Each structure stands twice: as C-alpha cells, then as structure tokens.
Amino acid sequence: MRPFSPLYIPKVFFELLTSFPVTVLMLVGSVIFGSLLGFVLARAKISGGKISKILADAYIGVMRCTPPIVLLFIVYYGLPELLLSTAGIDINNVNKGVFVLVTYTLLYGATISEIMRSAYESVDKGQWEAAVSIGLSPFQAFYRIMLPQATAVALPNFCNLLINLMKDGALAFTIGLVDIMGRGSLIISRNFGAYALETYIALALIYWCLTLVIEKTFSVLEKSLLRGKRSLAE
C-alpha cells in the first residue's frame, strides 16, 4: 500500500484551482437566477391571489423535498428529451454547466423565497404605511424602509443557504462538469486511484477557505446593515 504523501497536497491544491472559476460561476449564476425566481415566488405568497399562492406553495414543497442529485439527473436526462419531443429542439450538445445552473436555480429559488417572505413579514408594516403617509411612493417606502431591515434579518439564513448551495454544487461532477470536484476526480483517475486521500484533503481545504470567505463577507454586511439600528437603540 502506498504511504500517505503530505507534500502532494499543495501540488494538487493549485492544480484543482484551475477549475475554481467554473465552481464560482455556477455558484454566482445560481444565486442570481435563483434569487429572481425566489422573489417571484415570495411575492406570489405575500400579495398574490389564491391560485398563485397555491402554485407557489406546491412548487416550494416539491423542490424542498427533492434531493439535489435527483433533480440534477432529472434535469440532465429529462430536459433534453422534453424539449426534443415537444419543440423539436436538441440541446444534448449544450454545455453541462447549463443543466447545473438550471438545477440549482430551481432548488435555490424555492428556499430563498421562504427566506425572503419571512424576512419581509418580520418588519412592522406600520413603517411602510407611515412612509407612504408622509409622501413617499410605495416603491420608495419598500426600497428605503422595508428592504434594508428585511435584508438584515435574512442575511444569516441567506449565508447558510449559500454555503449549502456551494457544497451541493460539488455533485455537478456526476454529470461530467469539470469544476473543482470534477477536476479532483480526473486527477485521481489519471493516477489510477493513487493519491486519492491527498486530493480529497486538498478539495476540503478549498471548500473550507471558500466557506470562511462567505461567512466573513456576510458578517461584515450584517454589521453594516445593523449599525444604524444599534445606534438608535443605544
């Protein structure tokens, strides 16, 4: 049996980083499109009609009960078949990142919608009414009064969701996307299974570093948003 080689970890660490932009691109893209979807769902539940609320609840329930890897396979294998049979569109040669982006947009949108809804409803609606009564438009009252407070409430949950999304994104290598996890699998295969432990340790270090960056960034944002509120309380 080959002995453990700590010196191989920094070597493979930098090789894994060559695919780091793919991981970040998938993460950022899922957050952007998922947040847009989440906003639509949250709005439907807060101020939509009965039918829109039922549809939003049904969608959120289904997505939250579906394991990420199951949905990824459904999208990867099912979406090309659906488009080909219904619209005659062949997307089998589309970049695998598109399927990953669609999958995690659907999952992320369902969860972030509940975070948005609960954060918005936690802010006293009397503040919005007071802002409108002194001459602000409904949009100004929302943007300047409600949104900053709701954002401060949502940030901790948003941070946790982003970290979970980053970790779930590691499953993308199962359909052949060469992100950092996919790069690690290629390296292990290239070495015929050798240095697998060292490679996985290097992968863990990358994910740990990324998690720390996310946590620190959100901590700074939360303190900035809550600064005015704390000053007022003092």
Side-chain angles (χ1 to χ4, degrees):
M1 183 176 179
R2 184 192 55 79
F4 177 70
S5 177
L7 295 179
Y8 188 77
I9 295 175
K11 177 183 176 180
V12 74
F13 181 92
F14 290 104
E15 186 173 353
L16 290 169
L17 287 180
T18 59
S19 295
F20 184 72
V22 178
T23 297
V24 174
L25 183 62
M26 292 298 101
L27 182 62
V28 173
S30 299
V31 169
I32 292 174
F33 293 112
S35 295
L36 293 175
L37 174 60
F39 178 80
V40 173
L41 293 170
R43 184 176 177 82
K45 294 193 66 173
I46 293 172
S47 58
K50 184 177 180 180
I51 295 178
S52 62
K53 289 180 181 179
I54 292 174
L55 291 175
D57 279 331
Y59 174 83
I60 292 170
V62 170
M63 287 297 105
R64 294 176 71 179
C65 294
T66 306
I69 193 168
V70 173
L71 184 61
L72 179 60
F73 287 157
I74 289 175
V75 171
Y76 182 63
Y77 293 108
L79 187 58
E81 291 291 333
L82 177 64
L83 291 178
L84 188 60
S85 60
T86 58
I89 301 174
D90 186 4
I91 62 170
N92 286 292
N93 294 323
V94 170
N95 189 288
K96 293 179 174 60
V98 174
F99 300 102
V100 175
L101 196 59
V102 171
T103 299
Y104 290 106
T105 293
L106 296 175
L107 285 173
Y108 183 84
T111 307
I112 194 63
S113 67
E114 288 296 274
I115 295 176
M116 290 177 176
R117 180 191 60 79
S118 60
Y120 178 79
E121 292 180 343
S122 69
V123 182
D124 184 8
K125 302 306 180 295
Q127 297 184 51
W128 182 88
E129 295 171 354
V132 172
S133 69
I134 63 173
L136 293 180
S137 68
F139 176 77
Q140 288 176 323
F142 169 77
Y143 180 76
R144 299 178 63 179
I145 306 300
M146 304 293 288
L147 184 59
Q149 297 181 73
T151 301
V153 173
L155 275 179
N157 289 328
F158 181 57
C159 177
N160 291 331
L161 177 59
L162 186 59
I163 292 173
N164 288 332
L165 177 65
M166 175 195 68
K167 293 187 291 185
D168 289 340
L171 296 171
F173 86 97
T174 58
I175 64 169
L177 182 71
V178 186
D179 59 350
I180 57 174
M181 190 68 193
R183 179 67 61 186
S185 297
L186 290 176
I187 293 172
I188 293 172
S189 298
R190 184 186 67 198
N191 293 327
F192 302 101
Y195 301 106
L197 178 58
E198 293 86 342
T199 302
Y200 287 128
I201 290 176
L203 281 166
L205 290 174
I206 292 175
Y207 282 109
W208 289 340
C209 292
L210 189 54
T211 299
L212 290 175
V213 170
I214 293 173
E215 288 182 340
K216 183 62 178 177
T217 301
F218 275 85
S219 177
V220 173
L221 288 173
E222 186 176 2
K223 289 178 181 178
S224 177
L225 287 172
L226 293 176
R227 187 176 302 150
K229 186 176 180 179
R230 290 172 179 171
S231 300
L232 182 62
E234 294 173 356

